[in-house]
Amino acid sequence: MEKIYLDHASAMPIDSRVYKFAEPYLLNVGNPSSLYEFGQEAKDAIEKSRIKIVDLINAENEKTIIFTGSATESNNIAIRGTAYRNINEGKEVLSSAIEHISVINPMKDLQKNGWTYNSIPVDKYGIIDLSKLKKIITKKTIVTSIMYANNEIGTIEPIKEISKIVHDEGKYLHVDATAAAGRIPIDVQKDGIDLLTLSSNDLYGPRGAGVLYIKPGVKIQSIMPGGGQERGLRSGTENIFAIAGMGEAAKIAKNEMNAESKRLITIRDKLISEITKMDETYLTGHQKQRLPHHASFRFSHIEGESILLNMDMYGIQIATGSACSSKTLEPSHVLLAIGLKHEEAHGSMVITLGRSNKINQVQKIVKAVNETVIRLRKLSPLIK
Ligand code: PMP
């Protein structure tokens, strides 16, 4: 059976070109802190990778780029590192209601330790309520964290407008661009971003590397003291394979972004128009301001987990945003934030396309979704 992978937001394969490029660093590499040739080769690989990241996001220079171990780590350093460093200027932090948990949880942790944490609501499409942002932000708000685009509903936020409001009133804007990078152009200078998070794996790079961009002049401190690597902000021996691979992945993503995004938009829009023809089936997120590879839906009367398992029987891998945590079985905070009721949020399906997907797969996907939804609704105790 042909397998169709439609869950690129959860995990992406390493691009074979990236693997080929970075493989020598997996097999044979010194410690970049060592002065002999072997070590210096490793250091050189990191610095070359930094230049490629600068190029992807139009950063001012290489010094603005810190390699970390993941997007989660970058988010934590950005939020906690600025909150603690600027404690004398205020103890307030702010995020949108639909941030990734790796943004929300560090903020909640700060709240437990005496900071004020506020969350900004979004509209039914997932767009930040700018008037609420204006009302809530104060001179004491050290860091405001708003994602470039949401991983569950694909909505792209108006970052330039957000930046203006944040800089009129508050201090730093942190942007989690994990879902957006490599799909839509990001220009940290034009967008007015102070801190930006990227993830290697979300660019078809190896797992085990992330980036935190830090605009020159931003005051930030380490949250994990150690050997002082990466400007003292991310101590620990560098993962050269992942870092070198991430740079190459960023270069490929930048070169191919225009053509690849156009190609994926065609597949995405066909999927959206076909799938939403079904009864009581709705697109979640914004129709136009959405990521090129992202199509997310909700179906009344059925559960996301059952959709996922049924689709898997067709060899098609999708995600469901319905249960953020299988431990709590709570519906996704993102879907609740866009105004869905609990029972509505449970029936969600998220498709994130990638390089392996082709337009000729659409028919098979749509057929599988149709059959799945009809079968599950027949069994649903929610339909009287
Ligand atoms: N932010 C966003 C928007 C994400 O989608 C993810 C997950 N891919 C993360 C942060 C965290 O990434 P990781 O688990 O690789 O640290």
Side-chain angles (χ1 to χ4, degrees):
M1 194 189 341
E2 184 205 7
K3 298 275 184 207
I4 304 181
Y5 185 67
L6 300 174
D7 191 17
H8 291 80
S10 296
M12 287 164 78
I14 300 184
D15 188 295
S16 57
R17 294 165 291 179
V18 169
Y19 184 74
K20 209 167 156 212
F21 175 86
E23 194 188 7
Y25 302 105
L26 193 57
L27 298 174
N28 199 357
V29 71
N31 188 318
S33 299
S34 306
L35 293 177
Y36 44 76
E37 191 183 339
F38 230 30
Q40 291 309 294
E41 275 170 21
K43 189 170 187 318
D44 191 49
I46 297 180
E47 295 318 316
K48 287 197 171 122
S49 180
R50 228 185 281 283
I51 293 168
K52 294 173 192 167
I53 304 291
V54 163
D55 203 34
L56 178 68
I57 59 172
N58 192 33
E60 290 83 352
N61 57 55
E62 295 92 80
K63 286 196 192 121
T64 62
I65 306 298
I66 300 295
F67 285 110
T68 67
S70 64
T72 297
E73 217 183 284
S74 300
N75 286 342
N76 270 272
I77 299 171
I79 293 162
R80 300 156 76 99
T82 52
Y84 278 99
R85 174 70 176 78
N86 299 280
I87 200 164
N88 292 333
E89 288 187 46
K91 282 184 83 175
E92 290 178 15
V93 292
L94 202 54
S95 85
S96 83
I98 59 166
E99 291 306 305
H100 190 263
I101 210 75
S102 58
V103 163
I104 291 178
N105 278 349
M107 293 215 168
K108 282 189 176 164
D109 198 54
L110 287 169
Q111 190 178 28
K112 276 190 212 145
N113 287 291
W115 272 261
T116 301
Y117 167 40
N118 279 308
S119 168
I120 309 147
V122 295
D123 68 12
K124 63 180 178 180
Y125 303 110
I127 305 267
I128 297 290
D129 184 334
L130 296 178
S131 62
K132 282 269 165 54
L133 170 61
K134 265 187 208 157
K135 268 193 203 139
I136 294 174
I137 197 164
T138 77
K139 292 266 179 280
K140 290 184 177 161
T141 310
I142 299 305
V143 59
T144 303
S145 188
I146 312 283
M147 63 208 323
Y148 214 107
N150 184 273
N151 49 305
E152 271 181 59
I153 54 171
T155 301
I156 301 169
E157 300 297 339
I159 290 295
K160 265 191 206 160
E161 287 171 67
I162 290 167
S163 165
K164 185 156 181 345
I165 297 170
V166 169
H167 293 117
D168 280 351
E169 270 303 321
K171 199 166 170 77
Y172 298 136
L173 172 64
H174 166 247
V175 174
D176 178 356
T178 303
R183 274 83 184 227
I184 52 174
I186 293 175
D187 184 322
V188 285
Q189 298 187 67
K190 280 201 190 129
D191 291 338
I193 293 169
D194 300 301
L195 300 124
L196 182 108
T197 292
L198 301 172
S199 154
S200 169
N201 190 232
D202 285 73
L203 293 165
Y204 295 93
R207 291 182 200 180
V211 152
L212 180 63
Y213 156 82
I214 306 167
K215 186 187 164 106
V218 167
K219 289 186 191 155
I220 186 165
Q221 72 181 49
S222 151
I223 59 163
M224 190 178 68
Q229 288 92 341
E230 296 298 298
R231 277 176 50 194
L233 290 169
R234 202 279 181 173
S235 288
T237 303
E238 299 89 339
N239 180 347
I240 310 295
F241 170 70
I243 291 173
M246 181 173 184
E248 191 62 11
K251 185 177 117 184
I252 295 170
K254 185 172 181 208
N255 289 344
E256 299 182 353
M257 190 180 329
N258 276 346
E260 180 64 355
S261 289
K262 264 191 207 139
R263 193 182 76 81
L264 294 182
I265 283 173
T266 311
I267 305 176
R268 177 198 73 183
D269 288 349
K270 186 85 184 137
L271 282 170
I272 292 175
S273 75
E274 290 299 320
I275 290 174
T276 51
K277 278 181 192 159
M278 297 191 66
D279 284 349
E280 295 189 78
T281 299
Y282 311 92
L283 183 74
T284 54
H286 201 281
Q287 187 111 31
K288 295 211 174 75
Q289 267 169 254
R290 86 179 285 127
L291 292 170
H293 70 303
H294 203 293
S296 51
F297 308 89
R298 79 169 181 85
F299 305 91
S300 302
H301 316 302
I302 54 177
E303 295 274 336
E305 283 70 24
S306 312
I307 304 172
L308 183 153
L309 295 173
N310 266 264
M311 292 292 285
D312 199 30
M313 291 194 289
Y314 290 88
I316 299 174
Q317 281 107 40
I318 54 97
T320 173
S322 71
C324 212
S325 156
S326 53
K327 286 188 201 121
T328 62
L329 282 179
E330 279 296 305
S332 145
H333 67 287
V334 175
L335 298 179
L336 295 181
I338 62 172
L340 298 188
K341 297 187 190 121
H342 275 233
E343 62 273 22
E344 293 171 337
H346 274 300
S348 100
M349 177 179 83
V350 181
I351 290 178
T352 41
L353 301 162
R355 288 181 188 151
S356 67
N357 297 124
K358 306 272 178 309
I359 191 82
N360 64 12
Q361 294 171 335
V362 168
Q363 207 185 353
K364 184 174 172 191
I365 299 166
V366 172
K367 185 167 178 284
V369 173
N370 267 282
E371 290 176 6
T372 295
V373 172
I374 289 168
R375 184 181 309 129
L376 293 176
R377 280 190 180 152
K378 270 193 194 142
L379 300 171
S380 173
L382 300 170
I383 298 181
K384 294 190 182 82

